[in-house]
Amino acid sequence: MDDALLEAALAWVDDDPDPRTRGELQAVIAGAKVGDDKAQVDLTDRFRGMLQFGTAGLRGRIGAGPNRMNRAVVIRAAAGLAAFLTEELGDAPARVAIGYDARHGSAQFAKDTAAVMTAAGHEALLLPRLLPTPVLAYATRVLDADAGVMVTASHNPPQDNGYKVYLGGRVVTDSGQGAQIVPPYDARIAARIEAVETVESVPRAAEGWTVLGEDIVDQYVAATGALVPPPTDDARANLRIVLTPLHGVGASTVERVLRTAGFSDLHTVPEQAEPNPDFPTVSFPNPEEKGAIDLSIALAESVEADVVIANDPDTDRAAVATMIDGKWTMLHGDVVGSLLGERVASRGGHPEGAVLANSVVSSQQLSAIASRYELGYRHTLTGFKWISREQGLVYGYEEALGYCVAPDLVRDKDGISAAVVMADYVASLKAEGRTLADAIDDLARAYGVYLTRQVSARFADISLIGETMDRLLSAPPASLGGSDVVATDDMGEGFQGLPPTTGLHLATVSGARVIIRPSGTEPKVKAYLEVIEPLGSDGDVGAARARATQAMDALDSDVHAALGL
């Protein structure tokens, strides 16, 4: 066994404030000492480096050691953030809002953060209980907090947790006020974290922070419920909605907001209604994953619902399912993104300079919608930390089920506000004897068929992610879907005015587009495919959709081959 590794592991044990993870690491060390190969590999991985803090904050597997999510790592992160805030504001104490979800360790990590902030002379405001991420993002803005911390791993597997940071107040005063961190803030905070010598050296207060009252939740519910005008008829009361929080923290808040807006026929999946950090009914707590909304669909069939709305565990994302051709179908994130974009844009009354925005890997249909309604359009790097800080933003989305319909309330994706706006849309359609399927056809008639699909390659060995990207960048395919590739762009050199990022953009003669990039939150390489098919002179939506599907299938096959799948 490597002496330096053993020394580092024993030093970590001595400095770990949590008896549970101390015991866990001691057991791994004991196994490694007696030559247990599995224990030695495990120990090496735990000390492969400190869990890296970046624009996504922290996210990783829960466990002992520097390359895991645990109290020692969180206390270091909180100390680094506190030092950064002191550096920014001098003698003036920072105001820090702190929230947490129901994942393993979340409540303790939030309390540790409050203790560190208080000892550092800052004002720590802890949300009253486990709550959705959008409530914390809202509190960061409405309380004029200089920083916000949300302890969550969003839709990651149950063994993970994370630490998301927002900046606002006096620290960020432009259009990104209250949004997630971007460079150079991430590097500056990371440097302060790295400067923390030991956990023992970090002061932690035993008391002194403020636990906020329920009024902050009440304010969020009232403001979000008011995003749609007061009902003037029974359309909303007559809409039957099936909901699921996927064992997350959103059930009560989502239901309250919908009831505030006039929706009363609500049916939450009972098996998934209560928070449970083990997510027992799903393989992955992500509405995008196969089987995640099966219980919702079954309930929708049973109660003859009009629409299904599923949120991820921290409730910042929303999935929508509807009946199409007699079958319950979950809509792709780009379809929901375009529907909501059309809904927001068509209402009018937007201020001068109003902008619609989505990530570069999301559908180009939003650009067409913005053009039709004479609104500005921007595409951004992937992630709401970029979308939400666009100047003049009135609506933004990313294809991974993230929607921002109320940037004045929450400068982030918000699955609750998206749910109420979508429910209002479906209710108005139902009152006209129409459905979401009809609205999707309306989009095709107005803009043509925009068909998108995602292909993912998951890697057990994360080093293969870089190798895969290097291979594709050095030798990109010459044709895709039977059409020659006419544009090959290394996004690391900048692409269409965006900052450099790891990725490959490909465009074909046929007009198809593919963007390949590594995931920022999972061990995957993702390919985002888009085909645009205009309607023929006969205006037949079904025929255009069939042509688009055929083209997409051919494109999909070649992308699978390019990724080695």
Side-chain angles (χ1 to χ4, degrees):
M1 182 179 175
D2 183 84
D3 289 342
L5 175 59
L6 177 59
E7 184 179 348
L10 292 173
W12 188 273
V13 168
D14 289 342
D15 194 41
D16 190 339
D18 188 338
R20 185 190 60 80
T21 45
R22 280 202 307 273
E24 175 186 318
L25 188 54
Q26 286 169 333
V28 176
I29 293 170
K33 279 183 172 181
V34 298
D36 184 329
D37 291 343
K38 186 176 179 181
Q40 289 181 354
V41 170
D42 185 14
L43 191 64
T44 300
D45 184 62
R46 290 170 187 263
F47 283 82
R48 194 160 39 86
M50 188 72 70
L51 197 63
Q52 290 299 299
F53 184 92
T55 56
L58 294 171
R59 193 174 294 190
R61 186 175 175 182
I62 300 166
N67 193 34
R68 297 287 188 270
M69 278 294 295
N70 51 63
R71 291 185 64 197
V73 167
V74 166
I75 290 168
R76 286 171 176 269
L81 177 59
F84 163 80
L85 293 170
T86 299
E87 186 178 83
E88 282 289 296
L89 301 176
D91 293 334
R95 173 175 288 180
V96 183
I98 304 164
Y100 56 99
D101 67 6
R103 283 181 178 266
H104 293 294
S106 286
Q108 182 63 59
F109 296 161
K111 183 178 177 181
D112 283 333
T113 300
V116 171
M117 292 298 166
T118 301
H122 300 310
E123 180 186 11
L125 306 175
L126 190 64
L127 290 188
R129 53 187 169 83
L130 51 88
L131 284 162
T133 291
V135 177
L136 182 278
Y138 171 80
T140 300
R141 284 178 64 80
V142 77
L143 297 174
D144 198 26
D146 302 296
V149 172
M150 183 67 195
V151 183
T152 179
S154 188
H155 58 287
N156 273 39
Q159 61 266 28
D160 291 357
N161 211 331
Y163 197 83
K164 184 184 295 188
V165 176
Y166 300 80
L167 292 177
R170 295 160 292 174
V171 177
V172 174
T173 58
D174 58 16
S175 59
Q177 189 173 53
Q180 294 179 56
I181 56 172
V182 295
Y185 299 112
D186 58 334
R188 292 181 57 196
I189 295 169
R192 302 302 298 184
I193 295 171
E194 190 175 346
V196 177
E197 293 185 0
T198 63
V199 174
E200 187 179 17
S201 69
V202 178
R204 282 179 283 149
E207 57 184 13
W209 55 86
T210 299
V211 178
L212 296 169
E214 285 293 321
D215 55 320
I216 191 67
V217 186
D218 297 340
Q219 290 174 42
Y220 172 81
V221 168
T224 308
L227 290 174
V228 295
T232 57
D233 53 30
D234 295 332
R236 293 180 198 164
N238 291 335
L239 189 74
R240 183 162 296 168
I241 307 173
V242 164
L243 303 166
T244 179
L246 291 182
H247 301 293
V249 296
S252 63
T253 310
V254 172
E255 289 186 21
R256 282 187 64 192
V257 168
L258 287 169
R259 292 186 189 282
T260 297
F263 299 95
S264 55
D265 197 352
L266 308 178
H267 301 260
T268 297
V269 176
E271 299 92 335
Q272 298 173 335
E274 295 300 319
N276 187 326
D278 295 317
F279 309 108
T281 69
V282 292
S283 299
F284 287 92
N286 180 352
E288 291 181 296
E289 295 287 342
K290 185 177 180 180
I293 66 167
D294 284 357
L295 289 174
S296 304
I297 299 302
L299 180 58
E301 291 173 342
S302 173
V303 302
E304 299 182 346
D306 296 298
V307 67
V308 170
I309 299 175
N311 294 111
D312 68 337
D314 72 327
T315 332
D316 63 351
R317 301 171 190 241
V320 178
T322 189
M323 289 284 284
I324 296 179
D325 296 330
K327 180 182 178 181
W328 277 99
T329 303
M330 195 180 93
L331 302 180
H332 191 282
D334 279 319
V335 175
V336 176
S338 292
L339 287 168
L340 289 172
E342 180 76 14
R343 184 70 168 172
V344 171
S346 65
R347 284 181 170 175
H350 300 296
E352 185 176 351
V355 165
L356 307 184
N358 61 356
S359 61
V360 68
V361 299
S362 301
S363 175
Q364 299 165 92
Q365 189 167 43
L366 191 67
S367 175
I369 293 171
S371 178
R372 178 185 182 187
Y373 293 101
E374 299 182 341
L375 298 172
Y377 169 76
R378 302 284 186 274
H379 65 203
T380 74
L381 294 178
T382 303
F384 255 87
K385 56 185 173 284
W386 301 108
I387 297 169
S388 62
R389 62 196 336 112
E390 282 295 325
Q391 184 72 37
L393 185 72
V394 294
Y395 170 71
Y397 91 91
E398 62 181 0
E399 53 76 41
L401 308 183
Y403 315 100
C404 178
V405 299
D408 288 344
L409 298 181
V410 173
R411 283 272 162 180
D412 199 0
K413 54 188 177 291
D414 182 349
I416 305 171
S417 58
V420 74
V421 173
M422 178 55 74
D424 182 52
Y425 196 178
V426 180
S428 65
L429 287 166
K430 184 179 180 180
E432 299 168 358
R434 308 177 76 236
T435 67
L436 274 178
D438 296 315
I440 294 168
D441 286 348
D442 290 344
L443 289 176
R445 294 186 188 97
Y447 309 106
V449 174
Y450 285 69
L451 183 60
T452 59
R453 191 179 294 178
Q454 185 185 128
V455 176
S456 294
R458 182 181 287 271
F459 295 90
D461 181 355
I462 60 173
S463 68
L464 295 177
I465 293 175
E467 291 179 15
T468 300
M469 290 304 306
D470 289 343
R471 172 176 58 80
L472 290 168
L473 287 165
S474 62
S479 68
L480 289 168
S483 182
D484 289 342
V485 172
V486 293
T488 302
D489 300 288
D490 180 349
M491 299 173 71
E493 298 174 357
F495 174 68
Q496 295 183 357
L498 297 175
T501 185
T502 304
L504 172 64
H505 168 266
L506 302 166
T508 71
V509 171
S510 67
R513 182 189 76 165
V514 176
I515 293 177
I516 304 174
R517 59 177 290 274
S519 170
T521 58
E522 300 174 276
K524 291 180 178 180
V525 172
K526 294 184 176 182
Y528 303 84
L529 289 58
E530 182 163 35
V531 169
I532 304 172
E533 182 65 37
L535 267 64
S537 57
D538 57 2
D540 188 333
V541 172
R545 194 166 282 135
R547 293 193 300 272
T549 300
Q550 184 177 15
M552 177 60 79
D553 288 343
L555 186 65
D556 184 296
S557 178
D558 284 353
V559 169
H560 267 81
L563 290 174
L565 298 175

